[in-house]
Amino acid sequence: MTNGKADVRGVLLTFIPMATATISLVSSSAIVAMIYRSNKKLKDSYRRIIFGMSMFDICSSFAVTFKIFKSTPESSNANMWLPLGNQTSCNVLTFLHILGTVGVTMYSLNINIYYFYLVKRNMKEKDF
C-alpha cells in the first residue's frame, strides 16, 4: 500500500465516524430538547426510556465526535489521522464512550421489554 492510499484511508477512518457521530449527537440532543419542552415531559414510561437512551447516546456520540483527542501523537496507529490528545483526554473520552454504549444497550433492552409487555402481555401504560 502506498503512502498516499494510507493517508486517504486514515482520513476516511477518522472523519466518517466523526461525521456520523455528530449527526447522532445533534439528533439525540433534539430528542432530549423535544421531550423536555413538551407538556408531558417524562410522565410516561416510553418518554423516560427514549430520554435515557438519548442521554447515553449523547455521551457516546460526543466521545466519537472528538475521537482525534483519544489518541496521543506518540501512540497513534496507522488508522488514526491527526491525533491531538493526551492521556487524560483519552481516558475521559474512553469512559464516555463505554458509558454511552453500555447505557444505550441497556435502554434498548428496556424498550424491548416495554414493548413485550405492552403488546404480548397487554399491559397498560399506567401499569408499566
Side-chain angles (χ1 to χ4, degrees), residues 1 4-15 78-81:
M1 192 186 274
K5 286 184 181 180
D7 288 343
V8 170
R9 181 175 181 230
V11 169
L12 291 176
L13 288 174
T14 301
F15 286 108
N79 293 333
M80 177 59 75
W81 185 78

Side-chain angles (χ1 to χ4, degrees), residues 45-98:
S45 300
Y46 178 76
R47 288 175 180 268
R48 286 192 295 270
I49 293 169
I50 295 299
F51 182 83
M53 185 183 281
S54 296
M55 291 298 290
F56 280 112
D57 185 58
I58 288 170
C59 290
S60 180
S61 297
F62 181 84
V64 176
T65 298
F66 295 103
K67 77 180 266 183
I68 58 173
F69 297 106
K70 274 177 102 172
S71 289
T72 61
E74 301 85 32
S75 67
S76 70
N77 58 22
N79 293 333
M80 177 59 75
W81 185 78
L82 190 66
L84 298 174
N86 57 31
Q87 191 60 45
T88 303
S89 67
C90 178
N91 291 342
V92 169
L93 290 174
T94 300
F95 172 77
L96 286 174
H97 195 179
I98 292 171

